[in-house]
Amino acid sequence: MIAEVIVDIATSAIDRKFDYLVPERYTSVVQVGSRVKVPFGPREIMGFIVGLKEETDVDIQKQKELMDVVDLHPLLTTEMMELAKWVKQDTLCLEIDVLQMMLPAALRSTYEKVVVLEKPDLIKDEELIALFGSKNFFVLPKDIDSTTVKKLKRLADEGILSFETVMKQKTAVKKIAYLELSQDTTIFQQVKEALTANAKKQLALLDKLASENRTSIAMKEITNEWGFTKAVVDQLVQKGIGTITEKEVYREPVDFQSVEKKSPLQMTEEQQIAYEKVLHSFEQHRAETFLLHGITGSGKTEIYLQMIAHALSVGKQAIMLVPEIALTPQMTERFVERFGSQVAVLHSGLSAGEKYDQWRKIHRSEVKVVVGARSAIFAPFENVGVIIMDEEHESTYKQEDSPRYHARDIAIWRSEYHNCPVILGSATPSLESFARAQKGVYTLLTLVNRPKSQPLPPVQIVDMREEMKKGNRSVFSIDLVEAMRNRFSRNEQVVLLLNKRGYSSFVLCRDCGTVMNCPSCDISLTYHRANERMKCHYCAYENPVPTSCPSCQSDHIRFFGSGTQKIEEEIAKLFPAEKMLRMDVDTTRKKGAHASILQAFGNQEASILLGTQMIAKGLDFPNVTLVGVLSADTALFVPDFRAAEKTFQLLAQVSGRAGRHDKEGNVILQTYSPEHYAIQFSKAHDYQGFYRQEMFYRHEGKYPPYTFIGSIIFSHEDLLSVSDYAMKSVQWLRENLPDSVEVIGPSIASISRLQNRYRYQCLLKYRKDEDVGHLLHQLQNVYKTHYMKNGYHLSITKNPSVLM
DNA sequence: TAGGCAGCAACA
DNA sequence: GTTGCTGCCTAA
Ligand SMILES: [Zn+2]
Ligand SMILES: [Zn+2]
């Protein structure tokens, strides 16, 4: 038998199947989807079996046997392997990268080089002896200097030492030791009678066991809570009262006991209609995509819950995607309330072990519902009944680095595989999705009423130019200050949004204006207050903040925070009695900080929550009756065709935060461009109006959804080389692409240098994937054969979420 | 002429 | 991604 194996090496030349002979003893255990240990050149590495066959074209002399079958049960389903092939083809990435991404990080193998001392008496060099310490081996560090390596290699040639590569698995299954008591109850009496008088502890433990009347007790409980040492237990085990066994346990991030079970809510007529349309499609086993457009508070989640419940009732599984930032404990609780321990949760806050355990529960079908962020779309269920993506417009559903997949595309692919519906839900759908719904590619479902909430809050626009004329130079308009004062007098809460997308704090010299930049990237360094250091977001560079300016030696160094600090001071002056919580990149760097700030605000520990766009999601607070947007327009003027769409989505989202409950809410938008349509339509809560206006501009500019965008980045350490490569490539594209494809560039990329590499960018606007797919593959092949080895980089992103 | 080192193909 | 081979250069 022959196994087709994709090996664990992420290089394009290796990213294909290799045939291995299956030794006789493994023929009954090898399965497609299992991992295997294989010889590859002089090494041993991990690989995935992607096929089994009886014959191979490979030279008989080249053929090798696989060494070991690692998994007795396949890790990857047939579906996942097919999906990986499609993702490779569609996003121009490596198949092995997709396969690795489908599995939890804990299953990834790592490789270590170990130096083993063979003849200890023949080694003279003191430095080398020190490396071994008292052992006869050491792990070769990655950053070891080359002279030491040379010395070691020489000794290896003489046979004094040898190099070995060790394959390691990161995290294993967690096991807990249990004392299993014997079934034979007479043994206890026998042992007890045979005890000598000085065996007081053993006697006490026997009595305790008798009083507990359990058959299995965790060793931890016996030692920590009952206060017996392991020696006492061991002695009794030796006398035959039972055995110590290891039991597999799951590291469980959700406490199911503490969550009260809840029944489905009565749906409104509008919800019922939407639900039944999906249900009909579900019953027909159709792979239909629904766009559920419902304003904030219109009850989309109840439709999700009931659809999932129905899928489970006929033995199917469900995948529920939520953007990472909205995946709060409150969010997951809603699912646990309905489905109890049938829910698995996957998000970035889990440890590697917890993620692995959640994944195993999914893989073994011990849970039926997955609630998770982007990567949860790869949940290895085998009988999916419905896939739901909440807030489908979120750009975080697109993975920024390879494999550059969009969760929406994966969702639709999987729905076709399982013949089940997909629900894309949003209050402000992406233009792409809404346009597809208009064309009938997706089925549009609309919710316009808010069953439990007040009508959408009135939005007031404050023209900050007028404030300037009145002589108010503060970031707070007179109206906003007045409204805030009014809320505080009623003991209500206020949310303030500082709309400064993408800005982080930087370090600047006040005398000459020099901004501290990364020496290897054309980007300013980010100031980290916690340790007084400056870091580069794009490479590993890190340095303490200088005491004097490197270009003019002045010591007037200033830090520009995300802007929230300055506003914090101003609030303290205006409302000295009010407590405030700040939420921005600085205060949420630590894991869990985000959730704890929101929780504190929910507990009324402060009356003001000030933050950047990250506050737009998450909890809804019943006591918040005013949302103030300090600078509604700053994101409008970034050079991105989605700027208006993103601004509208953000404003719509924060507006929904005010007055979701019995109290009436208000929104105040401060702006320097009150006439802009994104702001005007936000005020009117008019998605459709915004959609029509924005579609007009997209049509004018030939932007999505009228076209698709492809972004190609060329980079090299040498500026002239990369400009030459970019020019040649783009010229070739122009000559070979059909006229319907617009080729823009090449031009210097917006981040012109990254990790010491100069960057050029080219943009493609095309209408059909077939128009560019073939040529992009060809461009990549030319890159692999002629450019890659000379230090060039080529990166192709289809439908980038940001134009960088 | 041995030793060293960069460049490169092969990995089943 | 690594490895070991090849051919060229350099120091003795
Ligand atoms: Zn950098
Ligand atoms: Zn200066």
Side-chain angles (χ1 to χ4, degrees):
Chain A
M1 203 191 317
I2 308 286
E4 297 179 306
V5 175
I6 291 190
V7 295
D8 183 21
I9 294 175
T11 315
S12 57
I14 307 297
D15 194 50
R16 59 188 175 88
K17 291 181 275 193
F18 285 85
D19 291 350
Y20 284 89
L21 299 167
V22 179
E24 193 58 39
R25 64 185 183 284
Y26 287 131
T27 48
S28 58
V29 278
V30 283
Q31 285 183 76
V32 171
S34 291
R35 288 173 302 164
V36 282
K37 220 163 122 183
V38 292
F40 197 75
R43 300 177 288 163
E44 291 165 21
I45 53 171
M46 199 70 95
F48 296 92
I49 302 182
V50 294
L52 290 168
K53 57 188 183 183
E54 288 306 325
E55 277 168 43
T56 176
D57 303 333
V58 174
D59 255 26
I60 190 108
Q61 297 138 37
K62 282 186 170 184
Q63 291 177 16
K64 283 186 187 170
E65 287 190 337
L66 57 87
M67 307 170 73
D68 201 3
V69 180
V70 181
D71 309 298
L72 293 180
H73 299 286
L75 288 184
L76 294 161
T77 58
T78 330
E79 182 197 0
M80 286 301 142
M81 286 182 286
E82 291 214 1
L83 177 55
K85 273 189 246 167
W86 178 75
V87 173
K88 172 186 183 168
Q89 161 74 29
D90 190 60
T91 74
L92 302 141
C93 67
L94 300 177
E95 195 168 341
I96 185 66
D97 277 340
V98 188
L99 294 176
Q100 293 284 21
M101 186 190 53
M102 288 170 167
L103 300 174
L107 284 175
R108 220 157 288 164
S109 321
T110 50
Y111 302 88
E112 259 176 6
K113 235 188 238 168
V114 175
V115 186
V116 184
L117 192 51
E118 303 284 352
K119 297 171 187 163
D121 34 324
L122 289 179
I123 188 164
K124 297 275 145 50
D125 194 317
E126 289 295 331
E127 255 177 75
L128 298 184
I129 292 167
L131 286 172
F132 285 96
S134 58
K135 299 197 191 88
N136 71 331
F137 71 92
F138 72 95
V139 178
L140 198 69
K142 285 250 190 288
D143 54 351
I144 193 157
D145 64 300
S146 57
T147 43
T148 316
V149 175
K150 264 178 228 163
K151 282 189 206 165
L152 290 169
K153 278 199 174 144
R154 203 166 303 148
L155 292 177
D157 288 343
E158 293 169 36
I160 295 170
L161 45 82
S162 63
F163 288 93
E164 270 175 43
T165 315
V166 182
M167 199 186 328
K168 278 197 166 180
Q169 291 265 71
K170 273 184 197 153
T171 314
V173 171
K174 186 176 178 182
K175 287 184 177 160
I176 290 186
Y178 277 84
L179 172 63
E180 293 287 339
L181 295 180
S182 166
Q183 305 278 4
D184 174 16
T185 45
T186 58
I187 187 94
F188 299 100
Q189 199 53 40
Q190 288 170 29
V191 172
K192 196 170 173 178
E193 281 163 12
L195 283 181
T196 53
N198 60 354
K200 287 176 206 145
K201 282 283 177 187
Q202 291 186 44
L203 184 67
L205 180 51
L206 279 174
D207 288 341
K208 177 77 180 162
L209 288 170
S211 70
E212 287 284 323
N213 196 25
R214 286 179 352 201
T215 56
S216 164
I217 305 108
M219 283 298 286
K220 244 198 185 143
E221 191 178 347
I222 301 176
T223 54
N224 295 1
E225 285 164 39
W226 298 1
F228 296 96
T229 57
K230 189 167 176 295
V232 177
V233 182
D234 284 343
Q235 295 227 7
L236 287 175
V237 166
Q238 218 168 26
K239 290 171 185 167
I241 65 145
T243 49
I244 293 174
T245 49
E246 302 243 292
K247 275 193 199 168
E248 199 177 295
V249 291
Y250 290 125
R251 283 145 286 199
E252 190 52 75
V254 183
D255 181 10
F256 294 108
Q257 263 81 50
S258 70
V259 180
E260 208 179 306
K261 205 117 181 136
K262 286 198 181 154
S263 324
L265 306 174
Q266 179 65 44
M267 288 195 281
T268 62
E269 199 186 328
E270 202 180 46
Q271 286 174 312
Q272 193 67 36
I273 290 167
Y275 169 73
E276 271 163 20
K277 281 200 176 157
V278 184
L279 183 67
H280 185 249
S281 173
F282 174 88
E283 277 166 351
Q284 305 270 310
H285 304 287
R286 281 213 304 265
E288 188 171 355
T289 304
F290 294 90
L291 178 62
L292 178 58
H293 177 210
I295 55 171
T296 322
S298 60
K300 295 187 287 290
T301 311
E302 189 57 32
I303 297 176
Y304 304 156
L305 288 164
Q306 301 214 10
M307 200 53 230
I308 293 170
H310 183 81
L312 301 201
S313 73
V314 296
K316 297 204 172 192
Q317 299 136 346
I319 299 173
M320 175 77 219
L321 297 186
V322 176
E324 180 71 49
I325 194 144
L327 197 53
T328 57
Q330 287 76 9
M331 177 81 210
T332 53
E333 199 161 287
R334 292 200 65 180
F335 290 85
V336 176
E337 278 167 5
R338 292 288 171 87
F339 308 114
S341 57
Q342 298 183 88
V343 178
V345 179
L346 286 172
H347 63 83
S348 65
L350 303 182
S351 70
E354 285 171 330
K355 274 188 204 154
Y356 175 45
D357 289 353
Q358 294 292 307
W359 184 87
R360 273 191 304 152
K361 284 168 101 180
I362 300 161
H363 186 230
R364 296 171 172 180
S365 289
E366 289 170 10
V367 290
K368 305 291 171 204
V369 185
V370 171
V371 181
R374 178 179 62 222
S375 61
I377 193 60
F378 294 106
F381 280 142
E382 292 186 72
N383 192 10
V384 179
V386 63
I387 302 172
I388 301 164
M389 262 178 95
D390 195 28
E391 312 213 36
E392 66 88 33
H393 61 274
E394 270 298 310
S395 60
T396 52
Y397 279 127
K398 172 104 187 176
Q399 174 142 344
E400 292 222 13
D401 34 51
S402 179
R404 299 188 177 82
Y405 68 93
H406 196 296
R408 194 197 292 128
D409 300 332
I410 309 292
I412 292 170
W413 189 96
R414 293 197 73 184
S415 91
E416 281 163 8
Y417 188 92
H418 292 276
N419 289 310
C420 73
V422 175
I423 308 176
L424 308 175
S426 178
T428 52
S430 63
L431 259 72
E432 282 91 336
S433 292
F434 203 79
R436 274 178 213 152
Q438 296 290 333
K439 271 173 73 182
V441 182
Y442 300 163
T443 309
L444 184 65
L445 307 169
T446 315
L447 302 177
V448 293
N449 299 311
R450 304 176 100 190
K452 276 188 301 186
S453 314
Q454 294 280 340
L456 284 166
V459 177
Q460 183 194 345
I461 295 175
V462 176
D463 187 345
M464 292 305 277
R465 293 171 304 193
E466 293 299 317
E467 293 286 316
M468 288 282 260
K469 280 185 202 154
K470 284 185 222 159
N472 177 12
R473 305 186 139 266
S474 150
V475 286
F476 291 93
S477 61
I478 294 155
D479 284 5
L480 181 57
V481 172
E482 202 41 55
M484 285 171 72
R485 199 182 307 282
N486 174 280
R487 303 303 136 143
F488 298 143
S489 72
R490 298 201 307 243
N491 274 323
E492 292 168 355
Q493 289 172 296
V494 175
V495 168
L496 294 176
L497 174 81
L498 181 70
N499 183 15
K500 267 197 167 178
R501 211 188 170 86
Y503 278 79
S504 51
S505 36
F506 57 100
V507 183
L508 172 118
C509 167
R510 272 169 69 187
D511 285 341
C512 71
T514 302
V515 174
M516 306 303 154
N517 273 337
C518 174
S520 21
C521 311
D522 173 39
I523 203 98
S524 59
L525 292 163
T526 306
Y527 170 58
H528 285 232
R529 193 160 44 163
N531 51 7
E532 285 288 311
R533 291 175 80 82
M534 312 181 298
K535 291 181 186 172
C536 173
H537 270 190
Y538 293 90
C539 70
Y541 182 82
E542 194 186 326
N543 228 13
V545 174
T547 47
S548 64
C549 169
S551 56
C552 77
Q553 275 68 50
S554 152
D555 53 5
H556 291 141
I557 304 289
R558 260 199 76 170
F559 320 112
F560 277 84
S562 50
T564 47
Q565 273 150 291
K566 200 179 140 211
I567 291 160
E568 199 173 0
E569 286 161 23
E570 223 172 305
I571 291 173
K573 259 184 245 158
L574 284 165
F575 305 104
E578 301 300 329
K579 281 209 174 129
M580 183 184 74
L581 286 165
R582 216 182 82 198
M583 191 152 107
D584 56 24
V585 279
D586 287 328
T587 60
T588 54
R589 212 162 260 140
K590 263 189 280 169
K591 253 188 190 160
H594 184 254
S596 71
I597 292 172
L598 289 177
Q599 202 188 345
F601 190 61
N603 295 340
Q604 319 274 321
E605 285 168 34
S607 49
I608 306 169
L609 176 64
L610 168 69
T612 49
Q613 74 275 355
M614 63 175 77
I615 59 170
K617 289 203 190 53
L619 309 178
D620 56 291
F621 305 104
N623 202 33
V624 171
T625 53
L626 175 66
V627 171
V629 181
L630 297 179
S631 43
D633 46 17
T634 38
L636 275 177
F637 304 109
V638 296
D640 183 344
F641 69 89
R642 278 190 245 266
E645 184 183 357
K646 282 178 180 163
T647 300
F648 179 82
Q649 284 165 347
L650 179 69
L651 296 180
Q653 212 156 41
V654 286
S655 301
R657 298 287 134 211
R660 282 192 76 169
H661 296 262
D662 48 347
K663 290 175 189 154
E664 200 182 307
N666 270 85
V667 178
I668 294 181
L669 303 184
Q670 299 188 157
T671 171
Y672 288 93
S673 40
E675 66 289 337
H676 193 283
Y677 65 99
I679 305 226
Q680 285 299 328
F681 284 118
S682 301
K683 175 182 162 71
H685 300 291
D686 182 1
Y687 175 82
Q688 301 255 355
F690 173 77
Y691 171 79
R692 281 191 293 273
Q693 183 74 55
E694 180 66 10
M695 284 296 272
F696 172 77
Y697 290 121
R698 298 285 178 95
H699 185 77
E700 292 284 288
K702 295 199 184 96
Y703 280 115
Y706 292 99
T707 56
F708 295 109
I709 299 264
S711 160
I712 308 170
I713 299 266
F714 308 87
S715 73
H716 193 272
E717 285 185 6
D718 178 53
L719 178 63
L720 290 176
S721 310
V722 66
S723 89
D724 184 58
Y725 175 37
M727 295 290 184
K728 274 188 194 147
S729 305
V730 172
Q731 195 188 345
W732 177 83
L733 283 172
R734 280 218 171 82
E735 282 162 9
N736 292 282
L737 283 168
D739 290 343
S740 62
V741 179
E742 193 182 336
V743 183
I744 303 159
S747 55
I748 293 169
S750 54
I751 298 175
S752 64
R753 201 164 58 107
L754 208 60
Q755 300 186 22
N756 269 326
R757 311 176 63 84
Y758 291 92
R759 292 149 48 89
Y760 269 73
Q761 181 174 38
C762 162
L763 286 180
L764 306 178
K765 289 183 189 171
Y766 55 95
R767 286 177 196 276
K768 286 187 301 237
D769 201 56
E770 303 91 86
D771 286 346
V772 296
H774 177 65
L775 276 144
L776 289 180
H777 275 109
Q778 224 171 306
L779 181 70
Q780 205 174 46
N781 285 337
V782 174
Y783 158 68
K784 284 176 199 164
T785 49
H786 292 87
Y787 287 93
M788 198 165 71
K789 49 182 171 247
N790 296 322
Y792 291 91
H793 271 200
L794 174 77
S795 153
I796 302 173
T797 310
K798 287 184 182 173
N799 312 313
S801 55
V802 275
L803 290 184
M804 288 280 257

